[in-house]
Amino acid sequence: MTILSLEQRLQAAEPLFAEVWQTLAASLQAAGIEQGVAMAGTPHSRAELREDSYARSHSLYAEWRSARGAYQGSILVHGDGLAFAEFDVLLAHPRKPNWVIEAVTAWGRSGAVKSELRLLPALGA
């Protein structure tokens, strides 16, 4: 079994990163959030290969960070192509006044990515 380098894995994952980002953005748009997520869909700030000590497989981990370096979210792509991503939002839900959108998450494989919002009750709700 050939282990791809970090750069090779990042390049191979670009289409999946774009699909995941589009799915995350679509969930936010459906909730009524049109702005506030000003960034490219590809996480470039920090990436690494992580070994699963049990399965002995390597997963690609990458982070989204702001221009100032603040953590915004991450994506983990397993060797079999299964991905999980989350992106921090921390905004009041525009259509549900008693809720805050903590984050938006996505999971799946290329061509079958699903997404949902992670909500928290607003303080005092």
CSV table of all heavy atoms in Angstrom, one decimal, residues 41-78:
chain,number,residue,atom,x,y,z
A,41,GLY,N,-13.3,28.1,0.3
A,41,GLY,CA,-13.7,26.8,0.7
A,41,GLY,C,-12.6,25.8,1.1
A,41,GLY,O,-12.9,24.8,1.7
A,42,THR,N,-11.4,26.2,0.8
A,42,THR,CA,-10.3,25.2,1.0
A,42,THR,C,-9.5,25.6,2.3
A,42,THR,O,-9.1,26.7,2.4
A,42,THR,CB,-9.3,25.2,-0.2
A,42,THR,OG1,-10.1,24.9,-1.4
A,42,THR,CG2,-8.2,24.2,0.0
A,43,PRO,N,-9.4,24.7,3.2
A,43,PRO,CA,-8.7,25.0,4.4
A,43,PRO,C,-7.2,24.9,4.1
A,43,PRO,O,-6.7,23.8,3.7
A,43,PRO,CB,-9.1,23.9,5.4
A,43,PRO,CG,-9.5,22.8,4.5
A,43,PRO,CD,-10.1,23.4,3.3
A,44,HIS,N,-6.4,26.0,4.2
A,44,HIS,CA,-5.0,26.0,3.9
A,44,HIS,C,-4.1,26.3,5.1
A,44,HIS,O,-2.9,26.1,4.9
A,44,HIS,CB,-4.7,27.1,2.8
A,44,HIS,CG,-5.2,26.7,1.5
A,44,HIS,ND1,-4.7,25.7,0.7
A,44,HIS,CD2,-6.2,27.3,0.7
A,44,HIS,CE1,-5.3,25.7,-0.4
A,44,HIS,NE2,-6.2,26.6,-0.5
A,45,SER,N,-4.7,26.7,6.2
A,45,SER,CA,-3.8,27.2,7.2
A,45,SER,C,-3.0,26.2,7.9
A,45,SER,O,-1.9,26.5,8.3
A,45,SER,CB,-4.6,28.0,8.2
A,45,SER,OG,-5.6,27.2,8.7
A,46,ARG,N,-3.5,25.0,8.1
A,46,ARG,CA,-2.8,24.0,8.9
A,46,ARG,C,-3.3,22.6,8.4
A,46,ARG,O,-4.5,22.4,8.4
A,46,ARG,CB,-3.0,24.1,10.4
A,46,ARG,CG,-2.3,23.1,11.2
A,46,ARG,CD,-2.4,23.4,12.7
A,46,ARG,NE,-1.8,22.4,13.5
A,46,ARG,CZ,-2.5,21.3,13.9
A,46,ARG,NH1,-3.7,21.1,13.6
A,46,ARG,NH2,-1.9,20.4,14.6
A,47,ALA,N,-2.4,21.7,8.1
A,47,ALA,CA,-2.9,20.4,7.7
A,47,ALA,C,-1.8,19.4,8.1
A,47,ALA,O,-0.6,19.7,8.3
A,47,ALA,CB,-3.0,20.3,6.1
A,48,GLU,N,-2.3,18.2,8.3
A,48,GLU,CA,-1.4,17.1,8.7
A,48,GLU,C,-2.0,15.7,8.4
A,48,GLU,O,-3.2,15.6,8.3
A,48,GLU,CB,-1.0,17.2,10.2
A,48,GLU,CG,-2.2,16.9,11.1
A,48,GLU,CD,-1.9,17.2,12.6
A,48,GLU,OE1,-1.0,18.1,12.9
A,48,GLU,OE2,-2.5,16.5,13.5
A,49,LEU,N,-1.2,14.7,8.4
A,49,LEU,CA,-1.7,13.4,8.3
A,49,LEU,C,-1.7,12.8,9.7
A,49,LEU,O,-0.7,12.9,10.4
A,49,LEU,CB,-0.8,12.5,7.3
A,49,LEU,CG,-0.8,12.9,5.9
A,49,LEU,CD1,0.2,12.0,5.1
A,49,LEU,CD2,-2.2,12.8,5.3
A,50,ARG,N,-2.8,12.1,10.0
A,50,ARG,CA,-2.9,11.5,11.3
A,50,ARG,C,-3.1,10.0,11.1
A,50,ARG,O,-3.9,9.6,10.3
A,50,ARG,CB,-4.1,12.1,12.1
A,50,ARG,CG,-3.9,13.5,12.4
A,50,ARG,CD,-5.1,14.0,13.2
A,50,ARG,NE,-4.8,15.4,13.7
A,50,ARG,CZ,-5.7,16.1,14.4
A,50,ARG,NH1,-6.9,15.6,14.7
A,50,ARG,NH2,-5.4,17.3,14.8
A,51,GLU,N,-2.3,9.2,11.9
A,51,GLU,CA,-2.4,7.8,11.8
A,51,GLU,C,-3.4,7.3,12.8
A,51,GLU,O,-3.4,7.6,14.0
A,51,GLU,CB,-1.1,7.1,12.1
A,51,GLU,CG,-1.1,5.6,11.9
A,51,GLU,CD,0.2,5.0,12.1
A,51,GLU,OE1,1.2,5.6,12.3
A,51,GLU,OE2,0.2,3.7,12.1
A,52,ASP,N,-4.3,6.4,12.4
A,52,ASP,CA,-5.3,5.7,13.2
A,52,ASP,C,-4.5,4.5,13.8
A,52,ASP,O,-4.1,3.6,13.0
A,52,ASP,CB,-6.5,5.2,12.4
A,52,ASP,CG,-7.5,4.5,13.3
A,52,ASP,OD1,-7.1,3.8,14.3
A,52,ASP,OD2,-8.7,4.6,13.0
A,53,SER,N,-4.2,4.5,15.0
A,53,SER,CA,-3.3,3.4,15.6
A,53,SER,C,-4.0,2.1,15.6
A,53,SER,O,-3.3,1.0,15.6
A,53,SER,CB,-2.9,3.8,17.0
A,53,SER,OG,-4.1,3.9,17.8
A,54,TYR,N,-5.3,2.0,15.5
A,54,TYR,CA,-6.0,0.8,15.5
A,54,TYR,C,-6.1,0.2,14.0
A,54,TYR,O,-5.7,-0.9,13.8
A,54,TYR,CB,-7.5,0.9,16.0
A,54,TYR,CG,-8.3,-0.4,15.9
A,54,TYR,CD1,-8.0,-1.4,16.8
A,54,TYR,CD2,-9.2,-0.5,14.9
A,54,TYR,CE1,-8.7,-2.6,16.7
A,54,TYR,CE2,-10.0,-1.7,14.9
A,54,TYR,CZ,-9.7,-2.7,15.8
A,54,TYR,OH,-10.4,-3.9,15.7
A,55,ALA,N,-6.5,1.0,13.1
A,55,ALA,CA,-6.7,0.6,11.7
A,55,ALA,C,-5.4,0.7,10.9
A,55,ALA,O,-5.3,0.2,9.8
A,55,ALA,CB,-7.8,1.4,11.0
A,56,ARG,N,-4.4,1.5,11.4
A,56,ARG,CA,-3.2,1.7,10.7
A,56,ARG,C,-3.4,2.4,9.4
A,56,ARG,O,-2.6,2.2,8.5
A,56,ARG,CB,-2.4,0.4,10.5
A,56,ARG,CG,-1.9,-0.2,11.7
A,56,ARG,CD,-0.8,0.6,12.4
A,56,ARG,NE,-0.3,-0.1,13.6
A,56,ARG,CZ,0.0,0.5,14.7
A,56,ARG,NH1,-0.1,1.8,14.8
A,56,ARG,NH2,0.4,-0.2,15.7
A,57,SER,N,-4.4,3.2,9.3
A,57,SER,CA,-4.7,4.0,8.1
A,57,SER,C,-4.3,5.5,8.5
A,57,SER,O,-4.2,5.9,9.6
A,57,SER,CB,-6.1,3.9,7.7
A,57,SER,OG,-7.0,4.4,8.7
A,58,HIS,N,-4.2,6.3,7.4
A,58,HIS,CA,-3.8,7.7,7.6
A,58,HIS,C,-5.0,8.6,7.1
A,58,HIS,O,-5.6,8.3,6.1
A,58,HIS,CB,-2.6,8.1,6.8
A,58,HIS,CG,-1.3,7.5,7.4
A,58,HIS,ND1,-0.9,6.2,7.1
A,58,HIS,CD2,-0.5,8.0,8.2
A,58,HIS,CE1,0.2,6.0,7.8
A,58,HIS,NE2,0.5,7.0,8.5
A,59,SER,N,-5.4,9.5,8.0
A,59,SER,CA,-6.4,10.5,7.7
A,59,SER,C,-5.8,11.8,7.5
A,59,SER,O,-4.8,12.2,8.1
A,59,SER,CB,-7.4,10.5,8.8
A,59,SER,OG,-8.1,9.3,9.0
A,60,LEU,N,-6.4,12.6,6.6
A,60,LEU,CA,-6.0,14.0,6.3
A,60,LEU,C,-6.8,14.9,7.2
A,60,LEU,O,-8.0,14.9,7.2
A,60,LEU,CB,-6.2,14.3,4.9
A,60,LEU,CG,-6.0,15.8,4.5
A,60,LEU,CD1,-4.5,16.2,4.7
A,60,LEU,CD2,-6.4,16.0,3.0
A,61,TYR,N,-6.1,15.7,8.0
A,61,TYR,CA,-6.7,16.7,8.9
A,61,TYR,C,-6.3,18.1,8.4
A,61,TYR,O,-5.1,18.3,8.2
A,61,TYR,CB,-6.3,16.5,10.3
A,61,TYR,CG,-6.8,17.6,11.3
A,61,TYR,CD1,-8.0,17.6,11.8
A,61,TYR,CD2,-5.9,18.6,11.6
A,61,TYR,CE1,-8.5,18.6,12.7
A,61,TYR,CE2,-6.3,19.6,12.5
A,61,TYR,CZ,-7.6,19.6,13.0
A,61,TYR,OH,-8.0,20.6,13.8
A,62,ALA,N,-7.3,19.0,8.3
A,62,ALA,CA,-7.0,20.4,7.9
A,62,ALA,C,-7.9,21.3,8.6
A,62,ALA,O,-9.0,20.9,9.0
A,62,ALA,CB,-7.1,20.5,6.4
A,63,GLU,N,-7.4,22.5,8.8
A,63,GLU,CA,-8.1,23.5,9.6
A,63,GLU,C,-8.4,24.8,8.7
A,63,GLU,O,-7.6,25.1,7.8
A,63,GLU,CB,-7.3,24.0,10.8
A,63,GLU,CG,-7.2,22.9,11.8
A,63,GLU,CD,-6.4,23.4,13.0
A,63,GLU,OE1,-5.7,24.5,13.0
A,63,GLU,OE2,-6.4,22.7,14.0
A,64,TRP,N,-9.5,25.4,9.0
A,64,TRP,CA,-9.8,26.7,8.5
A,64,TRP,C,-9.5,27.7,9.7
A,64,TRP,O,-9.8,27.5,10.8
A,64,TRP,CB,-11.3,26.9,8.3
A,64,TRP,CG,-11.8,26.2,7.0
A,64,TRP,CD1,-11.6,26.6,5.7
A,64,TRP,CD2,-12.7,25.1,7.0
A,64,TRP,NE1,-12.3,25.7,4.9
A,64,TRP,CE2,-12.9,24.8,5.6
A,64,TRP,CE3,-13.2,24.2,7.9
A,64,TRP,CZ2,-13.7,23.7,5.2
A,64,TRP,CZ3,-14.0,23.1,7.5
A,64,TRP,CH2,-14.2,22.9,6.2
A,65,ARG,N,-8.7,28.7,9.3
A,65,ARG,CA,-8.4,29.8,10.3
A,65,ARG,C,-8.6,31.1,9.7
A,65,ARG,O,-8.5,31.3,8.5
A,65,ARG,CB,-6.9,29.6,10.7
A,65,ARG,CG,-6.7,28.4,11.6
A,65,ARG,CD,-5.3,28.4,12.3
A,65,ARG,NE,-5.2,27.3,13.2
A,65,ARG,CZ,-5.5,27.3,14.5
A,65,ARG,NH1,-5.8,28.5,15.0
A,65,ARG,NH2,-5.4,26.3,15.2
A,66,SER,N,-8.9,32.1,10.5
A,66,SER,CA,-9.1,33.5,10.0
A,66,SER,C,-7.8,34.1,9.6
A,66,SER,O,-6.7,33.5,9.8
A,66,SER,CB,-9.7,34.3,11.1
A,66,SER,OG,-8.7,34.6,12.1
A,67,ALA,N,-7.9,35.2,9.0
A,67,ALA,CA,-6.6,35.9,8.6
A,67,ALA,C,-5.7,36.2,9.7
A,67,ALA,O,-4.5,36.3,9.6
A,67,ALA,CB,-7.0,37.2,7.8
A,68,ARG,N,-6.3,36.3,10.9
A,68,ARG,CA,-5.5,36.6,12.1
A,68,ARG,C,-5.1,35.3,12.8
A,68,ARG,O,-4.5,35.3,13.9
A,68,ARG,CB,-6.3,37.4,13.1
A,68,ARG,CG,-6.6,38.8,12.6
A,68,ARG,CD,-7.2,39.7,13.6
A,68,ARG,NE,-7.4,41.0,13.0
A,68,ARG,CZ,-7.9,42.0,13.7
A,68,ARG,NH1,-8.3,41.8,14.9
A,68,ARG,NH2,-8.0,43.2,13.2
A,69,GLY,N,-5.4,34.2,12.3
A,69,GLY,CA,-5.0,32.9,12.8
A,69,GLY,C,-5.9,32.2,13.8
A,69,GLY,O,-5.6,31.2,14.3
A,70,ALA,N,-7.1,32.8,14.0
A,70,ALA,CA,-8.1,32.2,14.9
A,70,ALA,C,-8.7,30.9,14.3
A,70,ALA,O,-9.1,30.9,13.1
A,70,ALA,CB,-9.2,33.2,15.3
A,71,TYR,N,-8.8,29.9,15.1
A,71,TYR,CA,-9.4,28.6,14.7
A,71,TYR,C,-10.9,28.9,14.3
A,71,TYR,O,-11.6,29.5,15.0
A,71,TYR,CB,-9.4,27.6,15.8
A,71,TYR,CG,-10.1,26.3,15.5
A,71,TYR,CD1,-9.4,25.3,14.8
A,71,TYR,CD2,-11.4,26.1,15.9
A,71,TYR,CE1,-10.1,24.1,14.5
A,71,TYR,CE2,-12.0,24.9,15.6
A,71,TYR,CZ,-11.4,23.9,14.9
A,71,TYR,OH,-12.0,22.8,14.6
A,72,GLN,N,-11.3,28.4,13.1
A,72,GLN,CA,-12.7,28.5,12.7
A,72,GLN,C,-13.4,27.2,12.4
A,72,GLN,O,-14.6,27.1,12.5
A,72,GLN,CB,-12.8,29.3,11.4
A,72,GLN,CG,-12.4,30.8,11.6
A,72,GLN,CD,-12.5,31.6,10.3
A,72,GLN,OE1,-11.8,31.3,9.3
A,72,GLN,NE2,-13.3,32.6,10.3
A,73,GLY,N,-12.6,26.1,12.1
A,73,GLY,CA,-13.2,24.8,11.9
A,73,GLY,C,-12.1,23.9,11.3
A,73,GLY,O,-11.0,24.2,11.2
A,74,SER,N,-12.6,22.6,11.1
A,74,SER,CA,-11.7,21.6,10.6
A,74,SER,C,-12.4,20.6,9.8
A,74,SER,O,-13.7,20.5,9.8
A,74,SER,CB,-11.0,20.9,11.8
A,74,SER,OG,-12.0,20.2,12.6
A,75,ILE,N,-11.6,19.8,9.0
A,75,ILE,CA,-12.1,18.7,8.2
A,75,ILE,C,-11.2,17.6,8.4
A,75,ILE,O,-10.0,17.7,8.5
A,75,ILE,CB,-12.3,19.1,6.8
A,75,ILE,CG1,-13.0,18.0,6.0
A,75,ILE,CG2,-11.0,19.6,6.1
A,75,ILE,CD1,-13.4,18.4,4.6
A,76,LEU,N,-11.8,16.4,8.5
A,76,LEU,CA,-11.0,15.1,8.6
A,76,LEU,C,-11.5,14.2,7.5
A,76,LEU,O,-12.7,13.9,7.4
A,76,LEU,CB,-11.3,14.5,10.0
A,76,LEU,CG,-10.4,13.2,10.3
A,76,LEU,CD1,-9.0,13.5,10.4
A,76,LEU,CD2,-10.9,12.6,11.6
A,77,VAL,N,-10.5,13.8,6.7
A,77,VAL,CA,-10.8,12.9,5.5
A,77,VAL,C,-10.1,11.6,5.8
A,77,VAL,O,-8.9,11.6,5.8
A,77,VAL,CB,-10.4,13.5,4.2
A,77,VAL,CG1,-10.8,12.6,3.0
A,77,VAL,CG2,-11.0,14.9,4.0
A,78,HIS,N,-10.9,10.6,6.0
A,78,HIS,CA,-10.3,9.3,6.2
A,78,HIS,C,-9.8,8.7,4.9
A,78,HIS,O,-10.1,9.1,3.8
A,78,HIS,CB,-11.3,8.3,6.9
A,78,HIS,CG,-11.7,8.8,8.2
A,78,HIS,ND1,-10.9,8.7,9.3
A,78,HIS,CD2,-12.9,9.4,8.6
A,78,HIS,CE1,-11.6,9.2,10.4
A,78,HIS,NE2,-12.7,9.7,10.0
